Amino acid sequence: AQRVTQPEKLLSVFKGAPVELKCNYSYSGSPELFWYVQYSRQRLQLLLRHISRESIKGFTADLNKGETSFHLKKPFAQEEDSAMYYCALAGGTSYGKLTFGQGTILTVHP
Amino acid sequence: GAVVSQHPSWVICKSGTSVKIECRSLDFQATTMFWYRQFPKQSLMLMATSNEGSKATYEQGVEKDKFLINHASLTLSTLTVTSAHPEDSSFYICSARDSRGGLTQYFGPGTRLTVL
């Protein structure tokens, strides 16, 4: 079975501070991991995926297979980063269905 | 690119009636689409996987006869909530995967269903 855990339901930081949203997963094979973001009253949108090894809007995430983690990081948070963030895993199951974590609401204060 | 639309964006219906929600991939073909349900301030719960030209695969606990899914073309999947009841009121979201490959899912804006 595959599982994604986001231990923090709420996370608050001040503008300019570093932020880290935690994500741990459980999966026996080689997973593909994603971070999706949902801004207020907007649809869920892809932020980044581990296979791309990219940085989007200043966010990065590194897959740590030893710790089974895929934490999302940004060195200097901005107010516009306030949103709901979901970590998701696509395992080797048919059709690539995603398993989502419970989500973390990030609030960046001015 | 990779835009997914849903129609309607919101619907109010009477208990006992059926409601159809459409999910379209606008600029790509999607062999596989997914239907989710989202409760307020909670995560997405996968209801079913919709495959073009074949029967949908439902998650455990999701009633097939209540949530009818049809994926008749590579750009359209529909979810019909049959004999809707107030407990079916929720936010329904679809997503689609590009047929050309990759596991990334592109999400629709969601449909708010309220059953009176």
Side-chain angles (χ1 to χ4, degrees):
Chain A
Q2 53 195 60
R3 179 181 295 177
V4 177
T5 304
Q6 293 179 248
E8 304 139 328
K9 191 167 181 63
L10 301 171
L11 184 61
S12 290
V13 299
F14 285 99
K15 177 183 175 181
V19 63
E20 181 180 56
L21 291 85
K22 290 182 168 48
C23 172
N24 289 90
Y25 67 90
S26 174
Y27 183 66
S28 57
S30 294
E32 188 167 339
L33 285 150
F34 304 82
W35 276 99
Y36 281 87
V37 60
Q38 189 171 32
Y39 299 102
S40 180
R41 299 183 181 181
Q42 293 188 29
R43 72 180 70 195
L44 207 64
Q45 54 186 281
L46 177 67
L47 182 60
L48 53 80
R49 47 188 174 175
H50 91 270
I51 59 171
S52 300
R53 301 188 65 81
E54 58 201 344
S55 173
I56 303 295
K57 298 183 178 182
F59 285 97
T60 59
D62 291 317
L63 178 61
N64 186 321
K65 291 186 177 180
E67 296 182 358
T68 60
S69 68
F70 187 57
H71 303 327
L72 183 68
K73 301 177 183 179
K74 184 170 183 177
F76 307 103
Q78 303 300 314
E79 291 180 68
E80 55 265 30
D81 296 328
S82 296
M84 172 73 96
Y85 291 81
Y86 292 101
C87 181
L89 178 155
T93 57
S94 58
Y95 310 117
K97 66 180 183 180
L98 289 174
T99 298
F100 282 87
Q102 289 305 301
T104 298
I105 299 173
L106 172 65
T107 302
V108 181
H109 299 283
Chain B
V3 178
V4 175
S5 70
Q6 277 184 247
H7 178 80
S9 56
W10 59 270
V11 57
I12 301 173
C13 69
K14 293 182 178 180
S15 187
T17 61
S18 294
V19 175
K20 180 185 284 188
I21 302 170
E22 293 185 348
C23 177
R24 293 181 185 273
S25 56
L26 298 184
D27 50 1
F28 64 100
Q29 294 185 329
T31 308
T32 305
M33 291 183 171
F34 302 86
W35 287 96
Y36 296 85
R37 190 170 175 175
Q38 186 179 33
F39 293 100
K41 296 187 178 181
Q42 294 190 30
S43 188
L44 284 76
M45 182 193 79
L46 179 65
M47 299 174 64
T49 302
S50 169
N51 302 296
E52 188 268 337
S54 64
K55 291 183 179 180
T57 304
Y58 290 82
E59 294 300 299
Q60 190 174 9
V62 178
E63 298 177 60
K64 301 178 182 181
D65 295 332
K66 179 157 191 66
F67 298 100
L68 300 179
I69 290 172
N70 185 288
H71 194 154
S73 78
L74 287 172
T75 59
L76 173 64
S77 175
T78 60
L79 168 68
T80 301
V81 183
T82 63
S83 187
H85 287 92
E87 56 266 30
D88 298 324
S89 298
S90 191
F91 197 55
Y92 292 89
I93 302 173
C94 74
S95 70
R97 278 182 50 212
D98 194 319
S99 297
R100 290 173 294 181
L103 296 179
T104 300
Q105 292 182 24
Y106 301 97
F107 286 80
T111 297
R112 170 74 60 196
L113 170 63
T114 302
V115 185
L116 302 177

